[in-house]
Amino acid sequence: MEWKITDGLTSYDDAVAFMEARVASIAAGDADECVWLLEHPPLYTAGTSAKIQDLTDPERFPVYESKRGGEYTYHGPGQRVAYVMLDLNKRGRDVRQFVKHLENWVISALAEFNVHGEIRDGRVGVWVRRDDKPLTVTGKPAEDKIAAIGLRLRKWVSFHGISINVEPDLEHFSGIVPCGISEYGVTSLVDLGLPVTIADLDAALRKTFVEVFETTNA
């Protein structure tokens, strides 16, 4: 397993090119699995289920068609992206279980900062309750999304992955309907009042990855 950490901002095209090549090498047995931690410049990506009406400000940032699952999402500075290039041939070939492990990984990493992340049926990603905010328009408790998940598999090797909001400009999310969900908002660790840095989150991700993936033989 290689942990790759890139400082600064990585272009989306460069990231996809790296993942494509690495996934092919992993599938061929020529390279180790890889988790790549990085940040992107401000951009929107459209997953395979994206609806054009959910791109509300198409001229704001570059928009990339992504072959990952999911709808529109935002990436930008202050958001930690973790691209997971893992070989499910060795990890059970169970996509649902793999997604569950990714969700649990995010939840465990957030718990390192005493943030209670939760999963919601019908809503992709990881959410936190916001009891400090008014009820939603339908009278439900307010919840904000703190992490997104979007995957693709090729020959049972995964790529794309997760993104966790540390301190991005949350206003940048207003150019899309994130993941097609308009009733709920987005948040970040810093927005929740936690002085967490990207480096802090990286340490939590590395620690909890072992706990979630290696001890369960994902």
Side-chain angles (χ1 to χ4, degrees):
M1 165 71 69
E2 177 189 1
W3 283 83
K4 177 180 171 69
I5 300 177
T6 300
D7 294 329
L9 303 178
T10 301
S11 79
Y12 191 75
D13 285 335
D14 288 348
V16 171
F18 176 89
M19 286 191 287
E20 293 272 359
R22 186 60 172 260
V23 165
S25 294
I26 293 170
D30 296 331
D32 292 332
E33 295 177 310
C34 179
V35 176
W36 186 13
L37 305 178
L38 56 80
E39 292 174 86
H40 284 306
L43 58 91
Y44 298 129
T45 66
T48 54
S49 301
K51 303 175 184 66
I52 191 62
Q53 63 267 27
D54 289 340
L55 180 63
T56 58
D57 191 355
E59 304 301 321
R60 187 169 194 180
F61 298 127
V63 181
Y64 294 87
E65 297 291 328
S66 173
K67 296 179 181 179
R68 61 160 175 79
E71 302 186 39
Y72 281 103
T73 193
Y74 165 78
H75 294 311
Q79 180 193 76
R80 186 45 114 197
V81 175
Y83 286 135
V84 288
M85 290 151 273
L86 301 179
D87 188 354
L88 270 66
N89 291 291
K90 301 175 180 177
R91 294 176 176 270
R93 287 195 179 190
D94 187 330
V95 177
R96 290 193 179 199
Q97 187 72 358
F98 182 60
V99 171
K100 183 177 179 180
H101 284 313
L102 288 175
E103 293 170 342
N104 288 339
W105 181 31
V106 174
I107 289 170
S108 296
L110 293 174
E112 293 290 302
F113 309 104
N114 295 314
V115 173
H116 183 59
E118 298 180 276
I119 303 303
R120 292 288 181 262
D121 288 340
R123 279 194 268 140
V124 180
V126 178
W127 301 79
V128 292
R129 281 183 60 115
R130 298 301 302 270
D131 294 330
D132 56 318
K133 290 187 173 183
L135 298 178
T136 69
V137 292
T138 58
K140 297 176 182 177
E143 296 182 344
D144 286 340
K145 189 173 192 175
I146 195 167
I149 298 174
L151 286 175
R152 189 178 181 197
L153 294 177
R154 180 177 296 150
K155 296 183 178 179
W156 289 102
V157 180
S158 68
F159 54 125
H160 298 280
I162 67 174
S163 58
I164 302 175
N165 297 331
V166 178
E167 192 178 9
D169 185 337
L170 296 179
E171 202 278 327
H172 287 178
F173 285 87
S174 66
I176 57 172
V177 178
C179 300
I181 300 166
S182 59
E183 184 175 356
Y184 300 96
V186 290
T187 190
S188 68
L189 289 165
V190 171
D191 182 54
L192 293 173
L194 301 168
V196 178
T197 67
I198 290 283
D200 294 332
L201 179 61
D202 288 352
L205 287 170
R206 292 197 67 160
K207 174 187 176 184
T208 55
F209 182 90
V210 173
E211 295 170 355
V212 172
F213 281 91
E214 304 307 330
T215 60
T216 55
N217 294 318

